[in-house]
Amino acid sequence: LLRHARSRNYVSESEVCKLESVPLDFGDYHPLKPITVTESKTKKMNRKGSTSSTSSSSSSSMMDPLSSVLDGTDPLSLFAAAADPVTTAAATDGTRRKRDKDESSAVGSDFEPWSSKRGEILARYTTTEKLSINLYMGSEKGKATTTGSAVSEKVRTRLEELDDLEEGSQKELLNLTQQDYMNRIEELNQSLKDAWSSDQKVKALKIVIQCSKLLSDTTVIQFYPSKFVLITDILDTFGKLVYERILSMCMDNRVSLPDNFSPESVNDTAKETCLNWFFKIASIRELIPRFYVEAAILKCNKFLSKTGISECLPRLTSMIRGIGDPLVAVYARAYLCRVGMEVAPQLKESLNKNFFDFLLTFKQIHGDTVQNQLVVQCVEIPLYLTLYSPAIDWILQCIAYHAPEVLLTEMMERCKKLGNNALLLNSVMSAFRAEFIAARSMDFIAMIKECDESGFPKHLLFRSLGLNLALADPPENDRLQILNEAWKVITKLKNPQDYINCAEVWVEYTCRHFTKREVNTVLADVIKHMTPDRAFEDAYPQLQSIIQKVITYIYDFALLFSVEKFLPFLDMFQKESVRVEVCKCIMESFIKHQQESTKDPVILNALLHICKTMHDSVNALTLEDEKRMLAALINGFIKMVSFGRDFEQQLSFYVEARSMFCNLEPVLVQLIHSVNQLAMETRKVMKGNHSRKTAAFVRACVAFCFITIPSLSSIFTRLNLYLHSGQVALANQCLSQADAFFKAAVSLVPDVPKMISVDGKMRPSDAFLLEFLCNFFSTLLVVPDHPEQGVLFLVRGLLNVIQDYTWEDNSDDKIRIYTNVLHLLSAMTQEAYIYHVDKVDSNDALYGGDSKFLAEINKLSETVVSQILDHLKTLGKEETLKRQSQLALYFFNTILAHGDLRNNRLNQLSVNLWNLAQKHGFADTKTMVKTLEHIKRRSKQPEMSHFTDLALRLPLQSRT
């Protein structure tokens, strides 16, 4: 084959293959100009579709369709709407409905819903004491019929059923654990749904009444907030069922009422049913269940009158005054606010009245009745006051939502009149907008100072104030005084947990508004408080939060590491898992914010220590994903280190990093790439003309790679790095070192396993090996022969390895590799190679087309061709004919590209291969046709006229 290899003129071939340059005249066209949309309308003239006519119209829009789609005016939507009036009406109605809903609703996405607080309350207010519950048992009473009208009988029966609840239809379950109690409540909720679905509406009402009664029970007082959450879930379910039931009765011709319907559009049946529900509830004797059940269906007043809700809210507010227990009363007020915000958020006056009523009765908390109850249950007053927090916080959140600043002033005045009660003050700071609180920071500090600390600790008030100041900035002149006043209180705290909960919040304020000096002082104080008795071990989440806040605001790492107490602060993270998380957090911040490379020794030493901590956490149990994450962070740091032109210092850093991060393979791979890049930068600086010093340095870089690569476990990673590093050595004229890399790669090929793990799945390695060898062949073209090793010693060695490698029986990769070897040998016979390495003489220069050299290439090629032909013969069995066809065509294309087809033997071989590819009907007809067309086009090129005769000898055979 290669004795008759085609002589190539690569320059002229490149010119021929270039695309023809054609000047383009865009005219008026520009992609950003207004577009024209053409609409085609087809009108059917006959129902059977036998005749139709088509009309076209054009419409030009000056608006960008991607923008106009936001308001529904893009051309396609307009055309579609114009074609379908029903769609237009529906879209208009939907738009109007959405607009009306938006206008009527005063609660936006910035209002934190009750559902987000539910989980926190259930998790916080727990108990180990035994609980009790009354379960509804059902009744057979009232089933017998009596004389009289049917309506009177129905009414009498229902009233008796309601009375039955108080006449022994309950079963009291005692000694329940908290989980048992929650399960029973869930059973009641399900019973409610089952009763409703089976049309037992009275039974459903009785279940709700029974559940509401549980809210008057405060025997296990510390569980009351969680009980409130569980019971009101049932009330919400009931209210929703009733509302949807009445709404479904209003449907007219299967069209439901709009969201903003008026009572006039409600039919009489629905109104009567709604009134019936309110009358049933009015007959409940006890205050608490009557209040809660009516509040649950408050929204149903919309069916009766426009002013129904606004009239009911003040009445329900007044009803709460009859509840004697202040804790029960405040949660009733919270529920009323909750329902009120859902159905009538605009009626803020009723909500305000509700809260001011609470303030008037606030002194009950410290009354004798409550105190006696706490003594019986062995509950301290500070714990008791925390039970009020969810309710008061929610009431104030509802009041403060979109409230004017003047309301905060009024609230502050009322708090002062109540003696600056800490519980109220804390809720006020939690509810109102942070901007309002921050603007009055000094006023709040003065009020906090005057608070009585016995019931509600002052540090919690300072924590609430700090949370607001983390969201909004106080007046600039007050900032330092605010910090001093707060820290005076915080630093005196003896309990480490109380201290760290406050310090965590105020660290953010310090970082936002002050310099590293103040931050350093705060960190030092935290270390001082948390170190004794290893208190930091119980406060890792808060300490992590502090670190996160510091690096969020101080992301200049030169400044960060100049904070004297920052690294000692890190030393408090003694638990390895927490320490690693903190280190990951710091490295993520560095990679995100560090814009320029650094050589600052303070930064390097600190981050090396942090990366070393992450690396040392890796063990046999570490997940692969975790290893990848850690390696990515360390690699990000390595890439950001640069000593400029001090290449020796750079190499020393890489050597140190290799010793520190030897257990993370991706880091070693990155280091090898970085050192190779360093060698190429040296070459660039020297413009390829190395001095004795730079030559020695480059050899040191090469040695680094040669030593490091064998420590890697992935065989293909090693192969590719040997090849890459050999190319770098060759580019830097380190010929013996390049040979060593290539020899190592050749010797490693036999160790390639049949299956390798790719993304956690085992896959055959043949395709990866084929890809590597093709790249290797491309490099071997420019590698000069060693004077002591003989002609083409690397190519021979690689062919021997390929020959001895055990290939899969059903694989043709070995022959494909041999075919690619022919490409290489063909390129080696050319007088001038297609590419070279600067300042390295390849074999075309060394041998100068010597006949002995060409004879060696021909011997190799004959051996390879005979291997290919022998393999094609072995594929003559019926089950392998398709593979034979594909390989024959592949070999044919190789001869076509690289052989001199003016030689008769080669020409005949190509014809035989063509016929073999088609012989059994497995050749792709399209491919064969395109190949033949290509040969005909080639025949028109200079010195390619012999392709005309070849094309005549290549018949196209049909599959039949």
Side-chain angles (χ1 to χ4, degrees), residues 287-288 290 315-325 328-329 333 357 361 364:
L287 172 62
I288 290 177
R290 186 166 74 250
R315 179 172 55 79
L316 290 171
T317 301
S318 300
M319 283 174 66
I320 299 173
R321 295 175 182 173
I323 300 175
D325 190 310
V328 176
R333 296 185 190 282
D357 269 9
T361 60
Q364 284 183 300

Side-chain angles (χ1 to χ4, degrees), residues 391-409:
I392 298 175
D393 288 349
W394 176 258
I395 295 170
L396 279 169
Q397 179 185 323
C398 296
I399 293 172
Y401 183 65
H402 288 178
E405 204 167 349
V406 66
L407 183 60
L408 174 59
T409 306

Side-chain angles (χ1 to χ4, degrees), residues 485-549:
E485 293 290 347
W487 210 259
K488 281 179 190 175
V489 175
I490 296 170
T491 195
K492 291 178 182 177
L493 294 173
K494 303 298 182 186
N495 185 311
Q497 203 62 41
D498 291 343
Y499 171 84
I500 197 63
N501 286 336
C502 282
E504 172 203 354
V505 172
W506 282 89
V507 162
E508 183 168 3
Y509 174 77
T510 309
C511 293
R512 274 169 69 100
H513 300 297
F514 299 99
T515 64
K516 69 172 188 176
R517 176 173 165 271
E518 287 79 8
V519 173
N520 190 62
T521 303
V522 169
L523 293 182
D525 194 60
V526 173
I527 295 171
K528 176 183 172 184
H529 278 78
M530 302 308 295
T531 304
D533 301 323
R534 299 177 68 85
F536 53 77
E537 291 182 345
D538 298 322
Y540 284 138
Q542 293 91 334
L543 295 174
Q544 277 182 268
S545 175
I546 289 174
I547 286 289
Q548 181 67 58
K549 288 167 182 175

Side-chain angles (χ1 to χ4, degrees), residues 633-763:
L633 293 173
I634 296 173
N635 286 343
F637 163 60
I638 289 171
K639 291 175 186 176
M640 293 304 299
V641 176
S642 174
F643 290 88
R645 288 290 186 90
D646 191 349
F647 292 160
E648 291 182 352
Q649 184 67 31
Q650 189 83 32
L651 182 59
S652 298
F653 170 78
Y654 292 144
V655 171
E656 183 183 1
R658 180 179 63 183
S659 66
M660 296 177 73
F661 310 126
C662 56
N663 288 335
L664 288 173
E665 191 162 301
V667 178
L668 296 179
V669 172
Q670 177 60 46
L671 288 170
I672 292 168
H673 284 308
S674 297
V675 170
N676 280 329
Q677 184 179 357
L678 188 62
M680 294 306 291
E681 287 178 4
T682 307
R683 177 181 181 274
K684 183 179 178 181
V685 169
M686 299 304 293
K687 298 180 180 177
N689 299 310
H690 283 297
S691 64
R692 183 179 298 177
K693 183 178 180 181
T694 58
F697 175 75
V698 167
R699 285 195 293 272
C701 292
V702 170
F704 176 98
C705 297
F706 194 76
I707 293 168
T708 309
I709 292 173
S711 65
L712 304 176
S713 62
S714 170
I715 193 162
F716 278 103
T717 302
R718 276 185 280 160
L719 283 171
N720 287 311
L721 285 174
Y722 274 135
L723 178 58
H724 183 223
S725 301
Q727 292 166 345
V728 170
L730 197 62
N732 284 283
Q733 301 130 50
C734 301
L735 301 184
S736 59
Q737 285 85 352
D739 281 348
F741 280 114
F742 298 141
K743 284 179 184 177
V746 171
S747 64
L748 192 58
V749 170
D751 297 333
V752 174
K754 296 292 177 292
M755 303 290 288
I756 59 171
S757 177
V758 179
D759 296 332
K761 296 180 181 179
M762 299 305 293
R763 300 185 185 275

Side-chain angles (χ1 to χ4, degrees), residues 68 84 135 182 199 213 244-245 263 320 358 406-407 440 448 515 538 541 655 658 724 814 881 894 957:
S68 60
D84 188 354
L135 280 181
M182 295 173 72
D199 205 29
K213 281 188 172 185
E244 290 177 352
R245 164 68 177 155
I320 299 173
F358 164 69
V406 66
L407 183 60
R440 296 167 171 75
I448 292 171
T515 64
D538 298 322
V655 171
R658 180 179 63 183
H724 183 223
K814 179 179 179 180
L881 290 177
T894 295
Q957 297 177 6

Side-chain angles (χ1 to χ4, degrees), residues 7-44:
S7 296
R8 309 286 291 272
N9 186 330
Y10 293 117
V11 176
S12 62
E13 285 185 31
S14 176
E15 290 296 325
V16 170
C17 293
K18 280 184 178 178
L19 294 174
E20 183 181 356
S21 300
V22 178
L24 292 177
D25 182 16
F26 285 101
D28 292 333
Y29 169 76
H30 191 278
L32 297 183
K33 281 193 173 183
I35 63 170
T36 300
V37 179
T38 302
E39 176 209 10
S40 294
K41 296 181 181 177
T42 301
K43 298 180 180 178
K44 292 186 178 179

